[in-house]
Amino acid sequence: MRSFAYQRAADPAAAIQALAAASAGNNPLTEAEIQPLAGGTTLLDLMKLDVMRPRAIVDINPLSPAWATVSLENGNLRLGAMARMADVAANPEIQQNYPVVADSLKFAASAQLRNMATLGGNVLQRTRCTYFRDISYEACNKRNPGSGCAAMDGFNRTHAVLGTSDKCIATYPGDFAQALIALDASVDITGRAGTRTIPFAELHKAPGDTPQLETTLAPGELISGFTIRGRWPRSAYLKVRDRQSYEFALASAAIALDVEDGTVRDARVALGGVATLPWRARGAEAELKGQKFDDALAERVAEIAFEGASARSHNEFKIALGKRVVARALHQAVTMEI
Amino acid sequence: MDDKTNPQSPSSFNRRSFLAGAAGGAMFPLAARAAGPTTTTIPSTQDPTLPVPVTLRVNGHDNSLNIDARTTVLDALREHIGLTGSKKGCDHGQCGACTVLIEGRRVLSCLTLALSAQDHEITTIEGLSNGVRLHPMQQAFIDQDAFQCGYCTPGQIMSAIACVKEGHANSDEDIREYMSGNICRCAAYPNIVAAVKQAAPEILSG
């Protein structure tokens, strides 16, 4: 790990001030030379791998009391960005009213990592693409723009089939983000100019020609919280992986439904493990709305969710697997007791 | 635009200006606690070329150290304090061998900076026994033969204690799920589950 200057921010104002110089150099957020440290589970890992090389770290953990509150008021859920994954997953109100949120957190990582990682850091978690994480591979457009993509013709079994470009097929690794995008969450972003609020769907960027630009967050800005409007008790997160626990998704689905007398009134479908960014399947949602739910509908919806998917040599199976995950998750959500 | 393509860019980061900006013009970071001109909350700053003084409270004892800012809690424990019970397996948060409790919560000491752990109570495997009697979870691991080579065992035990206290030791399935962050290369998993079940009632009643 390269050396860095460490400082601890006592409160949000101090953090924003300490991070202000991060915008110098016009680097993408992930290359900014000053990085905030929260749970550290991604940042310190990637610093040890020499993938991230900040020259200064601002420890924002003292912001936890101010930015870690979780509240459910007037049917809206507000999640502070410094809340730890484990605490939110264990919250009975969230388990009852937003099972997709609780389960997306519960099925992620390990108990230790969930105790450490914050919600804000979690959505910014970086890809597990081997060629990105191992700097001995020169070709990585995300890490080294313009160098090519070693995954294209490499071992790409875990790579994305949706939202890919000819520059990058790295999978977005998180789970919680799928719940947020499915439920139309908004995200509060705090910086020197104050706090701005954007739809969560506008936080992440598809790789396109610039896979090094992963989010619309600017250097020096911090995620301060998330808001989900309305309750979604009929919601589920299904995650399929190579082992039963403590593994990234090969394919996952975040589903939220409003069903009355067997007819779907509203539907949300988001996919994980198969796309380069948190992925909302709007075509699939449109197909569900107003329909009587049955097996045929679930299969049709699953087909639509993967329209336009494109595989490389080792990840073709993800398209078939992903469709089955969508269909099974829909069944799970429709039949759950609420 | 990526600044890596032009390392000499005049806009690129400069530690001197960072320290000055963050600490109100103070050049020597260890003395940089004076209030800046526009704010009252000045974060501490530190020169990466100098060791940093830090006090870690481990198993009830304060340890004053001078360490590189990059030092993790795991390396501070093993290399500086001499507590080698916590093990370094992967050093990347994937194996759980380094698990310790910080303020009673199980965390990975390999992904926690020692500087971040200041002012917090750290409990390691060495802090479990009172010197006469083993902790119930330690005893259960012996009784159930819950290890073979033993390298992952300190992390398993620390994690298992937290697993019980979190209320996740109610079934075999629950224990397997909530102990999944601790990998055992010898695959002693069935015995580890048995050990957690054995110790759980005593821990919860104690």
Side-chain angles (χ1 to χ4, degrees), chain A residues 236-284:
Chain A
Y237 188 73
L238 177 64
K239 182 176 182 182
V240 172
R241 36 195 164 165
D242 277 331
R243 57 183 181 195
Q244 193 176 347
S245 182
Y246 194 19
E247 185 54 276
F248 294 92
L250 288 171
S252 71
I255 304 284
L257 298 175
D258 179 2
V259 181
E260 199 171 286
D261 300 328
T263 299
V264 180
R265 288 155 46 105
D266 197 1
R268 305 291 177 81
V269 180
L271 309 178
V274 292
T276 54
L277 70 168
W279 191 265
R280 178 108 176 244
R282 289 189 183 270

Side-chain angles (χ1 to χ4, degrees), chain B residues 3 17-19 25 35 42 55 63-64 66 74 78 84 87 94 102 134 142 153 155 179-180 189-190 192 196 205:
Chain B
D3 206 48
S17 64
F18 168 71
L19 291 174
I42 304 299
T55 299
N63 298 269
S64 295
N66 277 301
L74 178 62
R78 292 181 56 86
T84 55
K87 295 292 186 277
Q94 298 177 2
I102 296 186
L134 291 176
I142 293 170
T153 309
M179 287 296 289
S180 68
Y189 297 112
I192 292 169
V196 176
S205 67

Side-chain angles (χ1 to χ4, degrees), chain A residues 15-99:
Chain A
I16 295 304
Q17 192 196 339
L19 287 164
S23 56
N26 204 23
N27 284 321
L29 174 78
T30 51
E31 298 292 325
E33 292 184 300
I34 308 175
Q35 292 287 342
L37 173 73
T41 55
T42 288
L43 181 62
L44 290 174
D45 177 31
L46 291 178
M47 286 169 68
K48 288 182 180 190
L49 293 170
D50 208 24
V51 171
M52 290 185 76
R53 303 167 175 180
R55 294 171 64 179
I57 278 180
V58 177
D59 187 341
I60 60 170
N61 282 292
L63 276 58
S64 279
W67 281 8
T69 53
V70 170
S71 64
L72 183 54
E73 283 171 17
N74 306 320
N76 297 327
L77 177 63
R78 160 82 194 173
L79 300 166
M82 290 295 292
R84 309 288 157 163
M85 292 171 72
D87 297 330
V88 178
N91 183 307
E93 280 197 311
I94 293 175
Q95 290 172 349
Q96 188 184 344
N97 295 292
Y98 305 91

Side-chain angles (χ1 to χ4, degrees), chain B residues 45-158:
Chain B
T45 57
Q46 158 268 330
D47 183 337
T49 63
L50 299 175
V52 199
V54 56
T55 299
L56 291 184
R57 188 160 180 82
V58 184
N59 302 329
H61 301 288
D62 283 334
N63 298 269
S64 295
L65 312 171
N66 277 301
I67 54 172
D68 188 308
R70 292 169 284 189
T71 309
T72 60
V73 169
L74 178 62
D75 286 339
L77 290 169
R78 292 181 56 86
E79 309 294 336
H80 296 273
I81 300 175
L83 295 175
T84 55
S86 306
K87 295 292 186 277
K88 183 180 282 194
C90 67
D91 208 24
H92 285 276
Q94 298 177 2
C95 75
C98 69
T99 303
V100 301
L101 307 182
I102 296 186
E103 301 293 348
R105 287 166 74 96
R106 49 175 158 165
V107 299
L108 301 171
S109 62
C110 78
L111 289 183
T112 305
L113 289 180
L115 283 164
S116 295
Q118 294 174 92
D119 310 322
H120 294 294
E121 179 70 46
I122 301 166
T123 306
T124 71
I125 189 78
E126 292 92 342
L128 294 183
S129 164
N130 61 11
V132 179
R133 193 167 162 266
L134 291 176
H135 185 280
M137 192 63 79
Q138 291 175 305
Q139 188 60 52
F141 267 65
I142 293 170
D143 294 346
Q144 298 295 336
D145 201 14
F147 52 86
Q148 195 176 129
C149 82
Y151 195 79
C152 73
T153 309
Q156 297 278 2
I157 289 175
M158 299 313 290

